[in-house]
Short mmCIF file of all heavy atoms in Angstrom, two decimals:
data_model
loop_
_atom_site.label_atom_id
_atom_site.label_comp_id
_atom_site.label_asym_id
_atom_site.label_seq_id
_atom_site.Cartn_x
_atom_site.Cartn_y
_atom_site.Cartn_z
N PRO T 1394 11.81 -24.06 18.18
CA PRO T 1394 12.09 -25.48 17.93
C PRO T 1394 12.33 -25.77 16.45
O PRO T 1394 11.62 -25.26 15.58
CB PRO T 1394 10.82 -26.18 18.45
CG PRO T 1394 10.23 -25.22 19.42
CD PRO T 1394 10.55 -23.85 18.91
N ASN T 1395 13.37 -26.55 16.17
CA ASN T 1395 13.69 -27.03 14.82
C ASN T 1395 14.05 -25.91 13.84
O ASN T 1395 14.05 -26.12 12.63
CB ASN T 1395 12.54 -27.86 14.24
CG ASN T 1395 12.16 -29.03 15.12
OD1 ASN T 1395 13.05 -29.74 15.63
ND2 ASN T 1395 10.87 -29.24 15.33
N CYS T 1396 14.32 -24.72 14.35
CA CYS T 1396 14.70 -23.61 13.49
C CYS T 1396 16.18 -23.30 13.72
O CYS T 1396 16.81 -23.82 14.65
CB CYS T 1396 13.84 -22.38 13.79
SG CYS T 1396 13.96 -21.08 12.54
N HIS T 1397 16.75 -22.46 12.85
CA HIS T 1397 18.17 -22.13 12.99
C HIS T 1397 18.45 -20.80 12.32
O HIS T 1397 17.55 -20.15 11.77
CB HIS T 1397 19.04 -23.24 12.39
CG HIS T 1397 18.59 -23.73 11.05
ND1 HIS T 1397 18.58 -22.93 9.92
CD2 HIS T 1397 18.09 -24.93 10.65
CE1 HIS T 1397 18.13 -23.62 8.90
NE2 HIS T 1397 17.81 -24.84 9.31
N ALA T 1398 19.72 -20.39 12.35
CA ALA T 1398 20.11 -19.06 11.90
C ALA T 1398 19.85 -18.84 10.41
O ALA T 1398 19.60 -17.72 9.98
CB ALA T 1398 21.57 -18.81 12.22
N HIS T 1399 19.91 -19.90 9.62
CA HIS T 1399 19.69 -19.75 8.18
C HIS T 1399 18.26 -19.30 7.89
O HIS T 1399 18.03 -18.40 7.08
CB HIS T 1399 19.98 -21.09 7.49
CG HIS T 1399 19.67 -21.09 6.03
ND1 HIS T 1399 20.23 -20.18 5.15
CD2 HIS T 1399 18.86 -21.87 5.29
CE1 HIS T 1399 19.78 -20.42 3.93
NE2 HIS T 1399 18.93 -21.43 4.00
N ILE T 1400 17.29 -19.91 8.56
CA ILE T 1400 15.89 -19.49 8.41
C ILE T 1400 15.72 -18.07 8.93
O ILE T 1400 14.99 -17.25 8.34
CB ILE T 1400 14.95 -20.46 9.16
CG1 ILE T 1400 15.07 -21.88 8.58
CG2 ILE T 1400 13.50 -19.98 9.07
CD1 ILE T 1400 14.69 -22.00 7.13
N ALA T 1401 16.39 -17.77 10.05
CA ALA T 1401 16.32 -16.41 10.60
C ALA T 1401 16.86 -15.39 9.61
O ALA T 1401 16.30 -14.29 9.46
CB ALA T 1401 17.10 -16.34 11.91
N ASP T 1402 17.94 -15.72 8.91
CA ASP T 1402 18.50 -14.81 7.91
C ASP T 1402 17.51 -14.56 6.78
O ASP T 1402 17.35 -13.43 6.30
CB ASP T 1402 19.79 -15.39 7.33
CG ASP T 1402 20.95 -15.35 8.32
OD1 ASP T 1402 20.88 -14.54 9.26
OD2 ASP T 1402 21.91 -16.12 8.15
N LEU T 1403 16.82 -15.61 6.35
CA LEU T 1403 15.84 -15.48 5.26
C LEU T 1403 14.68 -14.58 5.65
O LEU T 1403 14.27 -13.70 4.89
CB LEU T 1403 15.31 -16.86 4.86
CG LEU T 1403 16.22 -17.74 4.01
CD1 LEU T 1403 15.67 -19.16 3.96
CD2 LEU T 1403 16.34 -17.19 2.59
N ILE T 1404 14.14 -14.79 6.85
CA ILE T 1404 12.96 -14.05 7.29
C ILE T 1404 13.32 -12.62 7.66
O ILE T 1404 12.55 -11.68 7.38
CB ILE T 1404 12.29 -14.77 8.47
CG1 ILE T 1404 11.71 -16.13 8.01
CG2 ILE T 1404 11.19 -13.92 9.09
CD1 ILE T 1404 11.14 -16.97 9.13
N CYS T 1405 14.47 -12.44 8.29
CA CYS T 1405 14.85 -11.12 8.82
C CYS T 1405 15.65 -10.28 7.85
O CYS T 1405 16.18 -9.23 8.24
CB CYS T 1405 15.61 -11.30 10.13
SG CYS T 1405 14.65 -12.09 11.43
N ARG T 1406 15.78 -10.72 6.61
CA ARG T 1406 16.40 -9.92 5.56
C ARG T 1406 17.86 -9.58 5.86
O ARG T 1406 18.30 -8.45 5.67
CB ARG T 1406 15.62 -8.62 5.32
CG ARG T 1406 14.16 -8.82 4.95
CD ARG T 1406 13.35 -7.55 5.08
NE ARG T 1406 13.53 -6.92 6.37
CZ ARG T 1406 12.95 -7.35 7.49
NH1 ARG T 1406 12.16 -8.40 7.47
NH2 ARG T 1406 13.16 -6.74 8.64
N THR T 1407 18.62 -10.55 6.31
CA THR T 1407 20.05 -10.33 6.52
C THR T 1407 20.71 -10.02 5.17
O THR T 1407 20.49 -10.75 4.21
CB THR T 1407 20.70 -11.59 7.14
OG1 THR T 1407 20.07 -11.86 8.39
CG2 THR T 1407 22.19 -11.37 7.35
N PRO T 1408 21.50 -8.96 5.08
CA PRO T 1408 22.12 -8.60 3.80
C PRO T 1408 22.94 -9.74 3.22
O PRO T 1408 23.56 -10.52 3.95
CB PRO T 1408 23.02 -7.41 4.18
CG PRO T 1408 22.35 -6.81 5.36
CD PRO T 1408 21.79 -7.97 6.14
N ALA T 1409 22.94 -9.84 1.91
CA ALA T 1409 23.53 -10.97 1.20
C ALA T 1409 24.97 -11.28 1.60
O ALA T 1409 25.32 -12.45 1.83
CB ALA T 1409 23.43 -10.74 -0.30
#
Side-chain angles (χ1 to χ4, degrees):
N1395 303 317
C1396 193
H1397 45 65
H1399 175 57
I1400 299 299
D1402 288 339
L1403 283 168
I1404 293 175
C1405 298
R1406 303 165 309 283
T1407 300

